[in-house]
Amino acid sequence: MTTPICDFVTEYVLSGKARMHMPGHKGQALHGLEPFDITEIEGAGYLYSDDGIVAESEKNASLLFGTGRTLYSTEGSSLSIKAMLAIAVTALKKDNERPLVLASRNSHKAFVDAACLIDFDVSFISPAAPSPSLCQAFITPQDVRHALKNAERTPLCVYVTSPDYMGNILDIKGISDVCREFKLPLLVDNAHGAYLKFLSVSRHPIDLGADMCCDSAHKTLPVYTGGGYLHISANADSRFFEDPKGIMSLFASTSPSYLIMQSLDVCNRVLSSEFPTLLENALPMVRHAKDELAAMGFELMGDEPMKITILPQSFGYTGDEIAAHLRENDIECEYSDAFSVVLMLSPYTPEKDYGRLLFAMSLLCRRKPVEGLPLLLDAPVRKMSIREAFFSRSEEIPAGQALGRICAKTAVSCQPSIPIALPGEQLTSGLLDALGEYGVETIRAVKA
Ligand SMILES: Cc1ncc(COP(=O)(O)O)c(C=O)c1O
């Protein structure tokens, strides 16, 4: 597979030309990668242009992912999420009706940011099975059908997150069948699932019927932080193809990183060559680690093949205690809270690191179970639109004094950036308890 961006930049570096253009480091290797960090010079194309070497590289990615169109993002899924919602709303909005998106409550903050910027309303799908934590929403095709049948007005599209941060994968095929029944497009936050395309049988949302999805290439593929994709299915509404780049650029910097673009470019070559085999070889190592942890007595969660989520309370530890123990043993995890620890593996995880993990975990003795379950979020009470609340005058107040007030800015804990309270929602005691549990001490409330 060709690597047009890398080839161009390498040739430029070797040419030794005087760099009378941005950036200011002029290619001097102060940190190390500066020679390769260029800008839109002649021949380098532009991320938001439909031709040139970037567009050529994106075509390679589109071939690899089997999409109708793939766009690069140098600002992660956060940018792709805003772009895909704007593409859907632009194409599908109806005259004299506020756009509505039917979504899962565990949507990432970028989804709420999109609602603020694009000004759509959100109706949340209530799963029949209660969600045991903020990051999860066990949404089934039946839940989506129920929500669509009972919707107060027809949404423009359905939006779900799969895999979620904890490694749970939804039945995207089943959900997309329901969406098709109702003639609605399905948009998927697949930030954690780029690699699912390269399993021996793909579990990537586009192959399972999604119309658009975002992938954070950087989360699970060998790509620099910030590299991502926006995929549009070949079967998607033709209006989604009208001006996706123009729409994406609305939310993005005009100086996209060429280092990240080169990383996405070289990743195409890796995906078309060794990656599927490396993945195939890594899967049994993750499976083995999960089996060993279960045999030690640890409860596990999630069916994502490359993620290990431990629920250690029944073994006598909080997730944060396990993370601290792993840290003492020179292992840094992705995420922990009172209930869980999330470990992300990839085909590039050295084999010895699986042994280090299992050894460190084997040092822990079972203790009396830790009591306490994650708080379930109350059903939201909406008082204003998301955008109206976000752009209202607001004041920062201690969460303890916010009962009954209207949330102005999305309240999230730093990781995993899943909103606890959304702009425009009334702050109930349940929401305030949940804020406390995730260590959020202050909140911006709409000025009375
Ligand atoms: C479920 C989910 N969606 C979207 C994002 C945003 O992705 P990015 O960091 O690539 O912008 C994240 C980030 O952690 C996430 O966990």
Side-chain angles (χ1 to χ4, degrees):
M1 177 146 283
T2 60
T3 50
I5 310 177
C6 293
D7 296 351
F8 175 85
V9 178
T10 305
E11 201 173 302
Y12 184 66
V13 171
L14 293 175
S15 75
K17 282 191 181 154
R19 297 188 184 202
M20 307 247 170
H21 58 74
M22 295 183 276
H25 54 61
K26 306 297 166 202
Q28 299 301 316
L30 307 170
H31 176 253
L33 294 178
E34 289 88 342
F36 296 90
D37 182 32
I38 63 157
T39 185
E40 290 87 14
I41 53 173
E42 181 67 27
Y46 182 52
L47 180 53
Y48 301 109
S49 153
D50 285 334
D51 8 71
I53 56 173
V54 181
E56 207 184 307
S57 179
E58 286 175 325
K59 281 197 190 109
N60 285 341
S62 170
L63 275 176
L64 282 163
F65 282 88
T67 64
R69 179 117 191 228
T70 290
L71 275 60
Y72 286 162
S73 161
T74 57
E75 294 163 68
S77 284
S78 300
L79 172 59
S80 304
I81 287 169
K82 292 179 204 113
M84 76 174 160
L85 285 154
I87 291 168
V89 171
T90 308
L92 307 170
K93 70 175 182 294
K94 299 169 194 144
D95 290 342
N96 308 321
E97 198 173 297
R98 281 186 59 74
L100 176 71
V101 175
L102 184 71
S104 52
R105 177 77 194 188
N106 64 336
S107 301
H108 185 266
K109 177 181 174 291
F111 171 80
V112 185
D113 294 348
C116 293
L117 293 165
I118 304 162
D119 196 15
F120 56 79
D121 293 333
V122 181
S123 168
F124 288 113
I125 306 165
S126 312
S131 308
S133 92
L134 203 58
C135 302
Q136 292 150 255
F138 292 134
I139 287 168
T140 63
Q142 293 75 11
D143 294 328
V144 176
R145 182 176 289 109
H146 183 264
L148 288 172
K149 274 192 173 156
N150 295 291
E152 82 230 28
R153 62 197 151 99
T154 311
L156 298 183
C157 60
V158 175
Y159 177 96
V160 295
T161 299
S162 175
D164 65 28
Y165 200 72
M166 315 304 274
N168 303 292
I169 301 185
L170 300 180
D171 175 3
I172 294 297
K173 170 80 178 68
I175 294 174
S176 76
D177 288 346
V178 173
C179 289
R180 231 158 284 287
E181 248 172 77
F182 286 80
K183 300 196 171 21
L184 293 176
L186 174 65
L187 277 45
V188 179
D189 174 345
N190 182 51
H192 288 261
Y195 77 97
L196 297 174
K197 173 70 192 177
F198 302 94
L199 297 172
S200 56
V201 178
S202 166
R203 296 178 74 185
H204 193 270
I206 294 292
D207 291 324
L208 299 175
D211 294 273
M212 282 193 273
C213 78
C214 68
D215 296 0
S216 296
H218 68 95
K219 290 195 199 301
T220 62
L221 302 179
V223 167
Y224 288 144
T225 297
Y229 309 108
L230 167 54
H231 299 298
I232 310 177
S233 163
N235 304 320
D237 191 308
S238 59
R239 288 168 292 180
F240 293 178
F241 295 90
E242 277 169 9
D243 185 24
K245 287 206 161 191
I247 291 178
M248 191 188 234
S249 71
L250 174 67
F251 306 102
S253 165
T254 52
S255 302
S257 161
Y258 269 82
L259 287 176
I260 298 176
M261 284 190 256
Q262 286 165 83
S263 185
L264 288 163
D265 192 41
V266 81
C267 185
N268 288 336
R269 196 176 61 208
V270 174
L271 295 176
S272 66
S273 52
E274 70 257 32
F275 189 83
T277 310
L278 293 176
L279 180 60
E280 192 69 24
N281 295 340
L283 291 169
M285 291 196 268
V286 184
R287 184 69 266 157
H288 173 74
K290 287 188 185 188
D291 289 347
E292 289 289 308
L293 289 166
M296 287 177 207
F298 289 101
E299 207 181 312
L300 303 176
M301 174 208 263
D303 51 354
E304 203 205 292
M306 294 301 290
K307 194 175 264 172
I308 302 180
T309 301
I310 308 172
L311 304 178
Q313 289 194 329
S314 58
F315 201 81
Y317 298 81
T318 65
D320 292 327
E321 283 174 331
I322 299 286
H325 169 75
L326 290 177
R327 203 165 291 124
E328 275 164 25
N329 285 274
D330 295 329
I331 298 169
E332 196 58 45
C333 66
E334 164 62 26
Y335 172 73
S336 73
D337 60 21
F339 315 100
S340 57
V341 186
V342 178
L343 307 164
M344 290 179 72
L345 295 311
S346 102
Y348 296 89
T349 303
E351 200 172 338
K352 67 175 175 18
D353 287 357
Y354 291 88
R356 294 168 78 181
L357 170 69
L358 293 176
F359 176 72
M361 293 301 285
S362 73
L363 299 175
L364 294 164
C365 299
R366 190 187 270 278
R367 304 193 301 208
K368 196 163 131 305
V370 176
E371 301 291 331
L373 289 169
L375 290 168
L376 298 183
L377 289 182
D378 290 354
V381 181
R382 175 148 301 284
K383 293 289 184 183
M384 292 168 102
S385 82
I386 294 177
R387 182 182 169 98
E388 192 187 359
F390 187 91
F391 290 108
S392 295
R393 300 276 315 283
S394 64
E395 57 186 340
E396 186 157 356
I397 54 173
Q401 293 169 20
L403 186 64
R405 298 285 297 271
I406 299 171
C407 176
K409 299 285 181 314
T410 314
V412 289
S413 62
C414 169
Q415 271 297 34
S417 293
I418 307 295
I420 302 168
L422 268 61
E425 287 179 355
Q426 188 160 42
L427 294 157
T428 58
S429 57
L431 283 182
L432 295 176
D433 288 346
L435 287 170
E437 188 168 298
Y438 285 91
V440 180
E441 288 171 1
T442 60
I443 189 156
R444 287 206 79 87
V446 173
K447 270 199 170 167

